[in-house]
Amino acid sequence: MAVLFEHEGVFIHSNEDGEEPDLLVSGFLRLIDKDGETIVEYKPLEDTVDPSNMLCAGKDSSSVMEWAQCPGEERSTPQQAVVEQQQSYETEWDMINAVSFPKRKPCSNGEGALNHTHEKSKWAFTFSVWDLRSITVKKEGSSRLMFRLKEPPTSLPVLHFHQGGSEDFLDCLRRYALITEAPDDETCLLVSTPNRALSQSFENLLDDNNYGLVTKLKNDPYVTTLGGFSKVTNYIFDAFRGPELEQQQRPPEEMADLDILGLGEVIPGLEINQQEEPGFEVITRIDLGARPEVTRRQPLSAEDWAEHQEKGGRMKNVPHLKKIIFKGGLCHAVRKEAWKFLLGYYPWDSTYEERKGLQRRKTDEYFRMKLQWKSVSEEQERRNSRLRDFRSLIEKDVNRTDRTNRFYEGVDNPGLVLLHDILMTYCMYDFDLGYVQGMSDLLSPILYVMENEVDAFWCFVSFMDHMHQNFEEQMQGMKTQLIQLSTLLRLLDLAFWNYLESQDSGYMYFCFRWLLIRFKRELSYPDVLRMWEVMWTGLPCQNFHLLVCCAILDSEKRKIMEENFGFNEILKHINELSMKLDIEEVLHKSEAICMQIRSCKDLPHSIIEILGFNTESELPRLEGREFGTLDSPQSPRPTQRQEVFSNGHNGHYREPLQNGCKVTFIS
C-alpha cells in the first residue's frame, strides 16, 4: 500500500442543518494506492493516532481544554490534576491543532468515553475512485468537498478544509482519474476512471490462471506487449470481460449505433453519446475549428549544424536550431554529436574543451561502475539473486534485440557485447530499477548512433531519466499517459472516443506498446531515429508523443468505426500497423493537431496541463500564425532556458494561447 496524498485538519460538521449543536470531527484525508486500486479514505484523528507523530501540548498551551465533569463527580484534587496533565502527554487529545474545541471528561462508568468514540468513528469512510461519480466543490469561506458515489447513488458527509488543502487533493486525484467540469454547474466535477480490469491488469494477478499484464511483461514482454499483441488478444479480452464471455463475440445488440456516434447525419457541433450504462448520457459541444496547414523541411545538414557553432564550440541560436530539427530531423552524419545535446549529455553552452573534460570524467565514472559488476565472482553472484536475475534477463534480451540490423547481426557481434555491458552497468547506476525488459529497445538505437560505449551509456541514462516511470513496478507513468491520451482524444474527436468507450477500449490500452518504448516497434529503424530526435527537441509542446498517438488513431478511426471493430479487432488492427506507418505523414498531422488545439480559447485545464500550454509565457513561437515559416537565424535570441523532452510529468516548452475556438465538456 502506498500513500499518494495525506492531509490532516479536515473536518466534518455533524449537524450541517444547524438544528442541533454542531460537533466538529477533525480527521485526515488520504489517497491510497492499494494493490493497483486508488482509494479515498477519511478517518477521524482519534481512531488512528500515531504516537510517534504526536505533538503534545505544554503546560501553558491553550490548545488543551479542560474537560467538563459528569454530574455528581467531585472536582479533581491538585495532585490528581498533575497526574492527569502528565498522562495527557500520552493521549491523542493533546495533539496540537490549529483549531481546538472543548472536550468532555468521561463519566466514571466509562459510558461517556464510549459514546464519544462511537460518535467520532461513525464519520469514517472509505471508497474506491472507481465508484466515485462526482465531487461538489464549495469555496465560500473555507473550501468544502462533497463526494457522490455511483451505485447506489450516495452522498458522503461534506469535508471542510479549514486549513486549506482541497486544491492539492484535487490536483493529486487528477493524476488517477479524468475530472471534467459539469457544464450546468461550475461547482460540480464529474469523475471518470479506467475500468477496474484495466487497472488491475497493470499490477495484479487477475486470477489463478491468468497473469496480470505487468507479470507477463516482466516474464516475457516479447510475447505480450513487445512481441505482438495479436498473440494475446484473447487473453486480454477474456481477462477484461470475464469468464462468462470467454470465446464469445459481442452480441450485435451491444454494438454501438454508428449514427449516434457521428457517422450519420447529426446536428453540426452537437454530439450525443448514449453509453451502455443506462441513465448516463454525455453531451458535448465542440468546435475546434479548421486544422491548420503545416510544412516540414529537409533534415538538418552537417553544414547547417556547423553554422550554429561558435569558434570555441558553443552552440548559438539554440531555439532556432531546435525548430529546424523538429521540422526535419537530422542527417545521419550529424546525429552522433547532436543527440548528445538533445539528450542533455552535453550542455548547449559548453565549449570544445569543456566537453573534453566532461567526457574524461564520465569515462572514469562509467568504468568504475562497470568494474563493480565485472569484479563480482561466481561465488558472490550465487548469493546475489537480484544481480543474477538482471544478468539473466539482459543476456536473454540482448540475443534478440534488433538482430536484423547490421550493427547487431551475426554471432559474437561486438555490438551485442556493448549492448550487454551497458545494460549491466546501468544496473550499477540505478540498482533500484535495475533492468526491465524493454529497456534494451531504448538503448539499441542510441548505441547504433553513438558507436561508443561511454557516450551511449550516458545518453541512455538521460533518456531513462524521462522514461523511468514506464518501467517501475507500479507503472504509474504508463497509467498517467494512458489517461492523458484518452483526455486528448476525447477533446479532438468525441465520436471516435465514444465508439472506443463502447468497445471497452476508451482507455487506450491498445496503445500500451507505443508509449512504453516510444514507437520503437512500430517504425522502421531510420524512422525511429527520426521520430526520437524530433521528440527530444521538446517542441512544439509538452507530451508531443501523445499527439503522435492521436494522429495515428485519427488516420485509422474510419476503418475501425465503419467495420464495427470490437475489442479484439481494435487490438489486432493496431498491432498490425507495425512497420506500415509513414513517419512524415504522422509528424505532419501531429504538428497540425497541436496547432489546432493551441488556437483554442478557454481550453480545459487538464488539456493545458497535459500539453504544457501557459498563457503567461512569452517564449518564441515555433512558427508564425499559420506556422508556415521559421524565424531567421539572425533573429534576436530570446531568453534561453532548459528545454528537454517530457514523459507526461513536467512541462518544458510553453507558448501563449491564441484566440480561437471554445471547448466545453458536458458529461
Side-chain angles (χ1 to χ4, degrees):
M1 183 180 74
V3 177
L4 309 172
F5 173 87
E6 183 172 22
H7 184 72
E8 290 188 10
V10 181
F11 292 85
I12 292 177
H13 293 219
S14 62
N15 297 298
E16 292 283 346
D17 54 14
E19 295 180 1
E20 298 180 12
D22 198 10
L23 171 65
L24 284 128
V25 180
S26 174
F28 63 82
L29 181 65
R30 279 180 174 173
L31 202 59
I32 299 170
D33 187 331
K34 186 176 182 181
D35 298 328
E37 186 174 4
T38 306
I39 303 294
V40 176
E41 176 186 70
Y42 176 83
K43 286 189 178 181
L45 286 173
E46 290 83 350
D47 291 345
T48 55
V49 170
D50 182 359
S52 65
N53 293 330
M54 190 177 298
L55 298 176
C56 299
K59 182 175 181 179
D60 299 326
S61 174
S62 61
S63 64
V64 179
M65 313 300 283
E66 184 179 354
W67 292 69
Q69 291 183 308
C70 295
E73 185 176 3
E74 296 182 1
R75 188 172 292 276
S76 301
T77 65
Q79 184 176 1
Q80 290 173 325
V82 171
V83 173
E84 288 177 1
Q85 182 183 358
Q86 291 173 346
Q87 289 176 339
S88 75
Y89 282 82
E90 300 176 5
T91 66
E92 64 271 30
W93 304 112
D94 290 344
M95 290 186 68
I96 295 177
N97 203 306
V99 181
S100 303
F101 303 96
K103 304 181 178 67
R104 296 169 296 175
K105 190 170 183 178
C107 298
S108 56
N109 59 9
E111 292 180 359
L114 181 61
N115 291 337
H116 181 76
T117 301
H118 175 72
E119 181 73 16
K120 296 282 186 178
S121 299
K122 73 177 184 179
W123 298 107
F125 60 80
T126 301
F127 62 86
S128 170
V129 172
W130 284 314
D131 300 325
L132 183 59
R133 179 182 292 277
S134 66
I135 306 172
T136 301
V137 183
K138 302 288 186 180
K139 294 187 178 180
E140 298 85 358
S142 59
S143 297
R144 290 170 286 162
L145 299 182
M146 183 173 70
F147 301 106
R148 185 169 179 81
L149 304 184
K150 294 177 182 176
E151 296 179 359
T154 306
S155 294
L156 298 172
V158 179
L159 298 183
H160 295 250
F161 291 77
H162 293 304
Q163 304 170 35
S166 61
E167 286 297 328
D168 293 337
F169 170 76
L170 292 174
D171 287 343
C172 184
L173 185 62
R174 285 187 178 96
R175 297 171 55 192
Y176 307 95
L178 177 62
I179 299 179
T180 56
E181 185 178 297
D184 54 347
D185 183 0
E186 62 181 11
T187 67
C188 182
L189 300 176
L190 303 175
V191 182
S192 177
T193 55
N195 62 59
R196 188 179 301 257
L198 170 61
S199 183
Q200 288 179 336
S201 73
F202 282 118
E203 295 156 0
N204 305 322
L205 296 175
L206 292 166
D207 52 50
D208 294 337
N209 300 318
N210 292 319
Y211 287 107
L213 189 56
V214 162
T215 304
K216 283 182 171 287
L217 174 65
K218 288 183 175 180
N219 291 341
D220 200 343
Y222 289 84
V223 179
T224 51
T225 54
L226 304 185
F229 266 136
S230 59
K231 299 179 182 178
V232 294
T233 51
N234 287 334
Y235 152 72
I236 296 180
F237 181 79
D238 295 338
F240 285 0
R241 298 296 296 170
E244 70 278 3
L245 293 179
E246 186 172 1
Q247 295 181 343
Q248 294 182 13
Q249 296 294 326
R250 294 173 61 88
E253 60 268 22
E254 291 187 14
M255 299 300 290
D257 183 344
L258 298 185
D259 285 336
I260 291 175
L261 295 173
L263 293 185
E265 295 181 358
V266 296
I267 301 174
L270 182 66
E271 305 289 355
I272 300 178
N273 171 34
Q274 298 174 340
Q275 302 213 355
E276 291 182 20
E277 298 182 14
F280 186 77
E281 184 177 67
V282 175
I283 305 175
T284 304
R285 186 178 299 277
I286 297 179
D287 181 13
L288 283 174
R291 189 168 293 171
E293 289 295 327
V294 297
T295 58
R296 294 191 59 76
R297 53 159 286 162
Q298 293 298 312
L300 181 78
S301 66
E303 292 76 15
D304 291 334
W305 177 262
E307 288 179 1
H308 284 80
Q309 277 190 328
E310 296 177 353
K311 208 169 187 179
R314 283 191 174 91
M315 303 305 298
K316 61 183 180 181
N317 209 350
V318 174
H320 180 262
L321 178 61
K322 287 185 177 182
K323 294 171 190 176
I324 297 175
I325 297 173
F326 171 78
K327 277 295 188 178
L330 299 159
C331 70
H332 192 71
V334 176
R335 285 188 172 124
K336 184 179 295 188
E337 183 177 8
W339 278 26
K340 297 171 188 176
F341 289 95
L342 289 171
L343 284 165
Y345 177 35
Y346 283 172
W348 289 97
D349 60 352
S350 61
T351 64
Y352 291 128
E353 291 302 317
E354 289 170 342
R355 292 197 286 272
K356 287 180 182 178
L358 175 66
Q359 279 189 309
R360 285 194 296 268
R361 294 191 302 273
K362 290 299 185 181
T363 298
D364 180 64
E365 186 177 352
Y366 172 79
F367 283 107
R368 278 190 281 109
M369 288 188 290
K370 184 174 181 177
L371 183 62
Q372 292 174 358
W373 64 267
K374 280 281 192 180
S375 60
V376 173
S377 66
E378 292 184 6
E379 185 69 22
Q380 288 176 301
E381 192 166 315
R382 279 198 292 268
R383 296 189 295 269
N384 191 331
S385 61
R386 291 201 68 195
L387 181 62
R388 192 168 60 247
D389 291 343
F390 289 156
R391 187 192 295 272
S392 176
L393 282 173
I394 290 171
E395 290 176 351
K396 183 179 180 181
D397 284 357
V398 163
N399 286 326
R400 56 187 179 185
T401 298
D402 295 330
R403 296 307 301 275
T404 58
N405 186 299
R406 182 172 297 181
F407 192 81
Y408 299 107
E409 69 181 0
V411 181
D412 297 327
N413 188 305
L416 297 178
V417 176
L418 292 179
L419 201 64
H420 171 275
D421 288 0
I422 292 172
L423 292 171
M424 283 296 298
T425 305
Y426 186 81
C427 293
M428 301 295 104
Y429 175 83
D430 188 350
F431 207 84
D432 286 341
L433 179 64
Y435 178 77
V436 180
Q437 287 178 307
M439 288 165 57
S440 62
D441 276 284
L442 300 184
L443 172 60
S444 171
I446 295 175
L447 179 57
Y448 169 79
V449 169
M450 293 296 140
E451 299 180 305
N452 177 280
E453 182 177 4
V454 175
D455 291 343
F457 173 81
W458 289 112
C459 287
F460 176 66
V461 165
S462 295
F463 197 13
M464 281 302 302
D465 285 345
H466 295 272
M467 301 292 289
H468 199 281
Q469 285 194 315
N470 281 14
F471 296 95
E472 292 172 359
E473 187 171 359
Q474 297 300 319
M475 280 193 152
Q476 188 53 55
M478 291 300 302
K479 291 188 214 174
T480 298
Q481 290 172 88
L482 288 170
I483 291 176
Q484 290 174 335
L485 177 57
S486 179
T487 303
L488 288 169
L489 189 63
R490 186 182 183 194
L491 170 75
L492 291 166
D493 196 329
L494 181 66
F496 185 39
W497 184 86
N498 284 334
Y499 179 82
L500 293 175
E501 185 80 0
S502 73
Q503 307 301 324
D504 297 322
S505 301
Y507 282 89
M508 313 298 165
Y509 37 80
F510 50 84
C511 299
F512 189 93
R513 187 174 69 188
W514 295 0
L515 300 173
L516 181 70
I517 52 176
R518 286 297 189 273
F519 311 100
K520 168 63 164 52
R521 294 296 183 93
E522 320 313 316
L523 302 170
S524 65
Y525 217 78
D527 287 351
V528 170
L529 308 184
R530 176 63 45 79
M531 176 69 78
W532 285 9
E533 64 200 13
V534 165
M535 291 193 298
W536 291 341
T537 64
L539 300 175
C541 64
Q542 175 180 305
N543 287 319
F544 181 66
H545 66 286
L546 298 181
L547 297 184
V548 172
C549 296
C550 291
I552 298 172
L553 294 175
D554 183 71
S555 299
E556 301 302 321
K557 68 179 180 181
R558 186 177 184 87
K559 182 177 181 65
I560 290 173
M561 296 175 73
E562 286 185 347
E563 298 189 20
N564 292 358
F565 281 177
F567 184 101
N568 269 350
E569 292 84 3
I570 293 171
L571 199 60
K572 184 173 185 292
H573 177 70
I574 295 300
N575 180 67
E576 291 174 348
L577 294 177
S578 178
M579 302 301 160
K580 298 177 183 177
L581 299 173
D582 184 326
I583 181 68
E584 286 303 316
E585 179 184 332
V586 170
L587 289 174
H588 186 279
K589 182 174 287 190
S590 304
E591 182 184 353
I593 290 173
C594 179
M595 301 306 107
Q596 183 183 25
I597 296 175
R598 188 190 297 278
S599 67
C600 293
K601 183 181 179 182
D602 298 329
L603 278 173
H605 178 74
S606 58
I607 302 296
I608 294 173
E609 288 295 310
I610 292 170
L611 299 181
F613 296 158
N614 187 337
T615 56
E616 296 179 356
S617 70
E618 297 297 335
L619 290 179
R621 305 192 64 80
L622 180 63
E623 296 175 336
R625 180 179 179 85
E626 298 299 326
F627 298 89
T629 58
L630 289 168
D631 299 334
S632 66
Q634 289 75 30
S635 59
R637 176 186 291 188
T639 303
Q640 190 169 336
R641 57 173 289 188
Q642 184 70 19
E643 298 177 42
V644 292
F645 53 94
S646 112
N647 190 33
H649 307 287
N650 299 303
H652 300 290
Y653 185 83
R654 306 193 172 199
E655 301 178 1
L657 298 176
Q658 293 182 352
N659 292 338
C661 65
K662 183 175 181 179
V663 180
T664 304
F665 280 138
I666 302 177
S667 301

